[in-house]
Amino acid sequence: MQKTKLQISGMSCQHCVKTVKDALTELEGVRRAKVNLRKGEAIVHFDADRTTTANLTQAITEAGFEVL
């Protein structure tokens, strides 16, 4: 199990938080994702054998946000 913190730009409300969290948790291998609007970040626990940080970044980007 691996843990990473991603800085996210573009979130402005709780709907944005839910969108990012849903995008992350839909990925195979993601065990848990905690998204913090105030800090503009997501902390993701995932299985590195099943997904990568590049996949996490892509999911966030496809949801309409930017990973810094």
Coordinates of all heavy atoms in Angstrom, one line a residue:
M1 N 0.8 -1.2 0.0 CA 0.0 0.0 0.0 C 0.9 1.2 0.0 O 1.8 1.3 0.8 CB -0.9 0.0 1.2 CG -1.8 1.2 1.4 SD -3.3 1.1 0.5 CE -4.2 0.1 1.6
Q2 N 0.6 2.2 -0.9 CA 1.3 3.4 -1.0 C 0.4 4.6 -0.7 O -0.8 4.5 -0.9 CB 1.9 3.5 -2.4 CG 3.1 4.3 -2.5 CD 3.8 4.2 -3.9 OE1 3.3 3.5 -4.7 NE2 4.9 4.9 -4.1
K3 N 1.0 5.7 -0.3 CA 0.3 6.9 0.1 C 0.9 8.1 -0.6 O 2.2 8.2 -0.7 CB 0.3 7.1 1.6 CG -0.4 8.4 2.0 CD -0.3 8.4 3.6 CE -0.4 9.8 4.1 NZ -0.3 9.9 5.5
T4 N 0.1 8.9 -1.2 CA 0.6 10.1 -1.9 C -0.3 11.3 -1.6 O -1.4 11.1 -1.4 CB 0.8 9.9 -3.4 OG1 1.6 11.0 -4.0 CG2 -0.5 9.8 -4.1
K5 N 0.4 12.5 -1.7 CA -0.4 13.7 -1.5 C -0.3 14.5 -2.8 O 0.8 14.7 -3.3 CB 0.2 14.6 -0.4 CG -0.6 15.9 -0.2 CD -0.3 16.7 1.0 CE 1.0 16.6 1.6 NZ 1.3 17.6 2.7
L6 N -1.4 14.9 -3.4 CA -1.5 15.6 -4.6 C -2.1 17.0 -4.4 O -3.1 17.1 -3.8 CB -2.4 14.9 -5.7 CG -1.9 13.5 -6.0 CD1 -3.0 12.7 -6.7 CD2 -0.6 13.4 -6.8
Q7 N -1.4 18.0 -4.8 CA -1.9 19.4 -4.8 C -2.8 19.6 -6.0 O -2.4 19.4 -7.1 CB -0.8 20.4 -4.8 CG 0.1 20.4 -3.5 CD -0.7 20.7 -2.3 OE1 -0.7 20.0 -1.3 NE2 -1.4 21.8 -2.2
I8 N -4.0 20.1 -5.7 CA -5.0 20.3 -6.8 C -5.5 21.7 -6.9 O -5.8 22.4 -5.9 CB -6.2 19.4 -6.5 CG1 -5.8 17.9 -6.4 CG2 -7.3 19.5 -7.6 CD1 -6.8 17.0 -5.8
S9 N -5.5 22.2 -8.1 CA -6.0 23.6 -8.4 C -7.4 23.5 -9.0 O -7.6 22.6 -9.8 CB -5.0 24.3 -9.3 OG -5.5 25.5 -9.7
G10 N -8.2 24.5 -8.7 CA -9.5 24.6 -9.4 C -10.7 24.2 -8.5 O -11.8 24.4 -9.0
M11 N -10.5 23.6 -7.4 CA -11.6 23.3 -6.5 C -12.1 24.5 -5.8 O -11.3 25.2 -5.2 CB -11.2 22.2 -5.5 CG -10.8 20.9 -6.1 SD -10.6 19.6 -4.9 CE -9.4 20.2 -3.8
S12 N -13.5 24.7 -5.8 CA -14.0 25.9 -5.1 C -15.2 25.6 -4.2 O -15.7 26.5 -3.6 CB -14.5 26.9 -6.2 OG -15.4 26.3 -7.1
C13 N -15.7 24.3 -4.2 CA -16.8 24.0 -3.4 C -16.8 22.5 -3.0 O -16.0 21.7 -3.5 CB -18.1 24.3 -4.1 SG -18.4 23.4 -5.6
Q14 N -17.8 22.1 -2.2 CA -17.9 20.7 -1.8 C -18.2 19.8 -3.0 O -17.9 18.6 -3.0 CB -18.8 20.5 -0.7 CG -18.3 21.1 0.6 CD -17.0 20.4 1.1 OE1 -16.8 19.2 1.0 NE2 -16.1 21.3 1.5
H15 N -18.9 20.3 -4.0 CA -19.2 19.5 -5.2 C -17.9 19.2 -5.9 O -17.8 18.0 -6.4 CB -20.2 20.3 -6.1 CG -20.5 19.5 -7.3 ND1 -19.9 19.6 -8.5 CD2 -21.5 18.5 -7.5 CE1 -20.4 18.8 -9.4 NE2 -21.4 18.1 -8.8
C16 N -17.0 20.1 -6.0 CA -15.7 19.8 -6.6 C -15.0 18.7 -5.8 O -14.4 17.8 -6.4 CB -14.8 21.1 -6.6 SG -15.5 22.5 -7.5
V17 N -15.0 18.8 -4.5 CA -14.4 17.8 -3.6 C -15.0 16.4 -4.0 O -14.2 15.4 -4.1 CB -14.6 18.1 -2.1 CG1 -14.2 17.0 -1.3 CG2 -13.8 19.4 -1.8
K18 N -16.3 16.3 -4.1 CA -16.9 15.0 -4.4 C -16.5 14.5 -5.7 O -16.3 13.3 -5.9 CB -18.5 15.2 -4.3 CG -19.2 13.9 -4.5 CD -20.7 14.0 -4.3 CE -21.4 12.7 -4.6 NZ -20.9 11.7 -5.3
T19 N -16.5 15.4 -6.7 CA -16.1 15.1 -8.1 C -14.7 14.5 -8.1 O -14.4 13.4 -8.7 CB -16.2 16.3 -9.0 OG1 -17.5 16.8 -9.0 CG2 -15.7 15.9 -10.4
V20 N -13.7 15.1 -7.4 CA -12.4 14.6 -7.4 C -12.3 13.3 -6.6 O -11.7 12.3 -7.1 CB -11.4 15.7 -6.7 CG1 -10.0 15.1 -6.4 CG2 -11.3 16.9 -7.6
K21 N -13.0 13.2 -5.5 CA -13.0 12.0 -4.7 C -13.5 10.8 -5.5 O -13.0 9.7 -5.5 CB -13.7 12.2 -3.4 CG -13.7 10.9 -2.5 CD -14.3 11.2 -1.2 CE -14.2 9.9 -0.3 NZ -14.6 10.1 1.1
D22 N -14.6 11.1 -6.2 CA -15.3 10.0 -7.0 C -14.3 9.6 -8.1 O -14.2 8.4 -8.4 CB -16.6 10.5 -7.6 CG -17.7 10.6 -6.5 OD1 -17.5 10.1 -5.4 OD2 -18.7 11.2 -6.8
A23 N -13.7 10.5 -8.8 CA -12.8 10.2 -9.9 C -11.6 9.3 -9.4 O -11.2 8.4 -10.1 CB -12.2 11.5 -10.5
L24 N -11.1 9.6 -8.2 CA -10.0 8.8 -7.6 C -10.5 7.4 -7.2 O -9.8 6.4 -7.5 CB -9.4 9.6 -6.5 CG -8.6 10.8 -6.8 CD1 -8.3 11.6 -5.6 CD2 -7.3 10.5 -7.6
T25 N -11.6 7.4 -6.4 CA -12.0 6.1 -5.9 C -12.5 5.1 -6.9 O -12.6 3.9 -6.7 CB -13.0 6.3 -4.8 OG1 -14.2 7.0 -5.3 CG2 -12.4 7.0 -3.6
E26 N -12.8 5.6 -8.1 CA -13.3 4.7 -9.2 C -12.1 4.0 -9.8 O -12.3 3.0 -10.5 CB -14.0 5.5 -10.3 CG -15.4 6.0 -9.9 CD -16.1 6.9 -10.9 OE1 -15.5 7.1 -12.0 OE2 -17.2 7.3 -10.6
L27 N -10.9 4.5 -9.6 CA -9.7 3.8 -10.2 C -9.4 2.5 -9.5 O -9.5 2.4 -8.2 CB -8.5 4.7 -10.0 CG -8.4 5.9 -10.9 CD1 -7.2 6.7 -10.5 CD2 -8.3 5.5 -12.4
E28 N -9.1 1.5 -10.2 CA -8.7 0.2 -9.7 C -7.5 0.4 -8.8 O -6.5 1.0 -9.3 CB -8.5 -0.8 -10.8 CG -8.2 -2.2 -10.3 CD -8.0 -3.2 -11.4 OE1 -8.5 -3.0 -12.5 OE2 -7.3 -4.2 -11.1
G29 N -7.5 -0.2 -7.6 CA -6.3 -0.1 -6.8 C -6.3 1.0 -5.7 O -5.6 1.0 -4.8
V30 N -7.3 2.0 -5.9 CA -7.4 3.1 -4.9 C -8.2 2.5 -3.7 O -9.3 2.1 -3.9 CB -8.0 4.3 -5.5 CG1 -8.3 5.4 -4.4 CG2 -7.1 4.9 -6.6
R31 N -7.6 2.6 -2.6 CA -8.2 2.1 -1.3 C -9.0 3.2 -0.6 O -10.1 3.0 -0.1 CB -7.2 1.5 -0.4 CG -6.3 0.5 -0.9 CD -6.8 -0.9 -0.6 NE -5.7 -1.8 -1.0 CZ -6.0 -3.0 -1.4 NH1 -7.2 -3.4 -1.6 NH2 -5.0 -3.8 -1.8
R32 N -8.4 4.4 -0.6 CA -9.0 5.5 0.1 C -8.5 6.8 -0.5 O -7.3 6.9 -0.9 CB -8.6 5.4 1.6 CG -9.4 6.2 2.5 CD -9.0 5.9 3.9 NE -7.6 5.4 4.1 CZ -7.0 5.1 5.2 NH1 -7.6 5.3 6.3 NH2 -5.8 4.6 5.2
A33 N -9.4 7.8 -0.5 CA -9.0 9.1 -1.0 C -9.7 10.2 -0.1 O -10.9 10.1 0.1 CB -9.4 9.4 -2.4
K34 N -8.9 11.0 0.5 CA -9.4 12.1 1.3 C -9.0 13.4 0.6 O -7.8 13.7 0.4 CB -8.7 12.1 2.7 CG -9.3 13.1 3.6 CD -8.8 13.0 5.0 CE -9.4 14.0 5.9 NZ -8.8 14.0 7.3
V35 N -10.1 14.2 0.3 CA -9.9 15.4 -0.5 C -10.2 16.6 0.4 O -11.3 16.6 1.1 CB -10.8 15.5 -1.7 CG1 -10.5 16.7 -2.5 CG2 -10.5 14.2 -2.6
N36 N -9.3 17.6 0.5 CA -9.4 18.7 1.4 C -9.5 20.0 0.6 O -8.6 20.4 -0.1 CB -8.2 18.8 2.4 CG -8.4 19.9 3.4 OD1 -8.7 21.0 3.1 ND2 -8.2 19.5 4.7
L37 N -10.7 20.6 0.6 CA -10.9 21.8 -0.2 C -10.0 23.0 0.3 O -9.4 23.7 -0.5 CB -12.4 22.2 -0.1 CG -12.8 23.6 -0.7 CD1 -12.6 23.5 -2.2 CD2 -14.3 23.9 -0.5
R38 N -10.0 23.2 1.6 CA -9.2 24.3 2.2 C -7.7 24.3 1.8 O -7.1 25.2 1.4 CB -9.4 24.4 3.7 CG -8.8 25.6 4.3 CD -9.1 25.7 5.8 NE -8.6 24.5 6.5 CZ -7.3 24.2 6.9 NH1 -6.4 25.1 6.6 NH2 -7.0 23.2 7.5
K39 N -7.2 23.0 1.9 CA -5.8 22.9 1.6 C -5.5 22.7 0.1 O -4.4 22.7 -0.4 CB -5.2 21.7 2.3 CG -5.2 21.9 3.8 CD -4.6 20.7 4.5 CE -4.5 20.8 6.0 NZ -3.9 19.6 6.7
G40 N -6.6 22.4 -0.7 CA -6.4 22.1 -2.1 C -5.6 20.9 -2.4 O -4.7 20.9 -3.2
E41 N -5.9 19.8 -1.7 CA -5.1 18.6 -1.8 C -5.9 17.3 -1.7 O -7.0 17.4 -1.1 CB -3.9 18.6 -0.8 CG -4.4 18.4 0.6 CD -3.3 18.4 1.7 OE1 -2.2 19.0 1.4 OE2 -3.5 17.9 2.8
A42 N -5.3 16.3 -2.1 CA -5.9 14.9 -2.0 C -4.8 14.0 -1.4 O -3.7 14.0 -1.9 CB -6.4 14.4 -3.3
I43 N -5.2 13.2 -0.4 CA -4.3 12.2 0.1 C -4.9 10.9 -0.3 O -6.1 10.6 0.0 CB -4.1 12.3 1.6 CG1 -3.5 13.7 2.0 CG2 -3.3 11.2 2.2 CD1 -3.4 14.0 3.4
V44 N -4.1 10.1 -1.1 CA -4.6 8.9 -1.7 C -3.8 7.7 -1.2 O -2.6 7.7 -1.3 CB -4.6 9.0 -3.2 CG1 -5.3 7.8 -3.8 CG2 -5.2 10.3 -3.7
H45 N -4.5 6.7 -0.7 CA -3.9 5.4 -0.4 C -4.2 4.4 -1.5 O -5.4 4.3 -1.8 CB -4.5 4.9 0.9 CG -4.2 5.8 2.1 ND1 -3.2 5.5 3.0 CD2 -4.8 6.9 2.5 CE1 -3.2 6.5 3.9 NE2 -4.1 7.3 3.6
F46 N -3.2 3.8 -2.1 CA -3.5 3.0 -3.3 C -2.5 1.8 -3.3 O -1.4 1.9 -2.8 CB -3.4 3.8 -4.6 CG -2.1 4.4 -4.9 CD1 -1.2 3.8 -5.8 CD2 -1.7 5.6 -4.3 CE1 0.0 4.4 -6.1 CE2 -0.5 6.2 -4.6 CZ 0.4 5.6 -5.5
D47 N -2.8 0.8 -4.1 CA -2.0 -0.3 -4.4 C -1.1 0.0 -5.6 O -1.7 0.1 -6.7 CB -2.9 -1.5 -4.6 CG -2.1 -2.8 -4.9 OD1 -0.9 -2.7 -5.1 OD2 -2.7 -3.9 -4.8
A48 N 0.1 0.2 -5.4 CA 1.1 0.5 -6.5 C 1.2 -0.5 -7.6 O 1.6 -0.2 -8.7 CB 2.4 0.9 -5.9
D49 N 0.8 -1.7 -7.3 CA 0.8 -2.8 -8.3 C -0.4 -2.7 -9.2 O -0.4 -3.3 -10.3 CB 0.8 -4.2 -7.6 CG 2.0 -4.5 -6.9 OD1 3.1 -3.9 -7.3 OD2 2.0 -5.2 -5.9
R50 N -1.4 -1.9 -8.9 CA -2.6 -1.8 -9.7 C -2.9 -0.4 -10.3 O -3.7 -0.3 -11.2 CB -3.8 -2.2 -8.8 CG -3.7 -3.7 -8.4 CD -4.7 -4.1 -7.4 NE -6.0 -4.1 -7.9 CZ -7.1 -4.1 -7.1 NH1 -7.0 -4.2 -5.8 NH2 -8.3 -4.1 -7.7
T51 N -2.2 0.6 -9.8 CA -2.4 1.9 -10.3 C -1.1 2.7 -10.0 O -0.3 2.3 -9.2 CB -3.7 2.6 -9.9 OG1 -3.9 3.8 -10.7 CG2 -3.6 3.1 -8.4
T52 N -1.0 3.9 -10.6 CA 0.2 4.8 -10.4 C -0.2 6.2 -10.1 O -1.4 6.5 -10.3 CB 1.1 4.8 -11.7 OG1 0.3 5.4 -12.8 CG2 1.5 3.4 -12.1
T53 N 0.7 7.0 -9.7 CA 0.4 8.4 -9.5 C 0.0 9.1 -10.8 O -0.8 10.0 -10.8 CB 1.6 9.2 -8.8 OG1 2.7 9.0 -9.5 CG2 1.8 8.7 -7.4
A54 N 0.6 8.6 -11.9 CA 0.2 9.2 -13.2 C -1.3 8.9 -13.5 O -2.0 9.8 -14.0 CB 1.1 8.6 -14.3
N55 N -1.8 7.7 -13.1 CA -3.2 7.4 -13.3 C -4.1 8.3 -12.4 O -5.1 8.8 -12.8 CB -3.5 6.0 -12.9 CG -2.9 5.0 -13.9 OD1 -1.6 4.9 -14.0 ND2 -3.7 4.3 -14.6
L56 N -3.6 8.6 -11.2 CA -4.3 9.4 -10.3 C -4.4 10.8 -10.8 O -5.5 11.5 -10.8 CB -3.6 9.5 -8.9 CG -3.4 8.2 -8.2 CD1 -2.6 8.4 -6.9 CD2 -4.7 7.5 -7.8
T57 N -3.3 11.3 -11.3 CA -3.2 12.7 -11.9 C -4.1 12.8 -13.1 O -4.9 13.7 -13.3 CB -1.8 13.0 -12.3 OG1 -1.0 13.0 -11.1 CG2 -1.7 14.4 -13.0
Q58 N -4.1 11.7 -14.0 CA -5.0 11.7 -15.2 C -6.5 11.8 -14.8 O -7.2 12.5 -15.4 CB -4.7 10.5 -16.0 CG -5.5 10.4 -17.3 CD -5.2 9.2 -18.1 OE1 -4.2 8.5 -17.8 NE2 -5.9 9.0 -19.2
A59 N -6.8 11.0 -13.8 CA -8.2 11.0 -13.3 C -8.7 12.3 -12.9 O -9.8 12.8 -13.2 CB -8.4 9.9 -12.2
I60 N -7.8 13.0 -12.1 CA -8.2 14.4 -11.6 C -8.3 15.3 -12.8 O -9.2 16.2 -12.9 CB -7.1 14.8 -10.6 CG1 -7.2 14.0 -9.3 CG2 -7.3 16.3 -10.3 CD1 -6.1 14.2 -8.4
T61 N -7.3 15.3 -13.7 CA -7.3 16.1 -14.9 C -8.6 15.9 -15.7 O -9.2 16.9 -16.2 CB -6.1 15.9 -15.8 OG1 -4.9 16.1 -14.9 CG2 -6.0 16.8 -17.0
E62 N -9.0 14.6 -15.9 CA -10.2 14.3 -16.7 C -11.4 14.8 -16.0 O -12.5 15.0 -16.7 CB -10.2 12.8 -17.0 CG -9.2 12.4 -18.0 CD -9.2 10.9 -18.3 OE1 -9.9 10.2 -17.6 OE2 -8.3 10.5 -19.1
A63 N -11.4 14.9 -14.7 CA -12.5 15.4 -13.9 C -12.6 17.0 -14.0 O -13.6 17.6 -13.5 CB -12.4 15.0 -12.5
G64 N -11.6 17.6 -14.6 CA -11.7 19.0 -14.8 C -10.8 19.9 -13.9 O -11.0 21.1 -13.8
F65 N -9.9 19.3 -13.2 CA -9.0 20.0 -12.3 C -7.6 19.8 -12.7 O -7.2 19.0 -13.5 CB -9.3 19.5 -10.9 CG -10.8 19.7 -10.5 CD1 -11.6 18.6 -10.7 CD2 -11.2 20.9 -10.0 CE1 -13.0 18.8 -10.4 CE2 -12.6 21.1 -9.7 CZ -13.5 20.0 -9.9
E66 N -6.7 20.6 -12.1 CA -5.3 20.6 -12.4 C -4.5 20.1 -11.2 O -4.7 20.6 -10.1 CB -4.8 21.9 -12.8 CG -3.3 22.0 -13.2 CD -2.9 23.4 -13.6 OE1 -3.7 24.3 -13.5 OE2 -1.7 23.5 -13.9
V67 N -3.6 19.2 -11.4 CA -2.7 18.7 -10.4 C -1.4 19.5 -10.5 O -0.8 19.6 -11.6 CB -2.3 17.2 -10.5 CG1 -1.3 16.8 -9.4 CG2 -3.6 16.4 -10.4
L68 N -1.0 20.1 -9.4 CA 0.2 21.0 -9.4 C 1.5 20.3 -9.2 O 1.5 19.2 -8.6 CB 0.0 22.1 -8.4 CG -1.3 23.0 -8.5 CD1 -1.4 24.0 -7.4 CD2 -1.3 23.7 -9.9

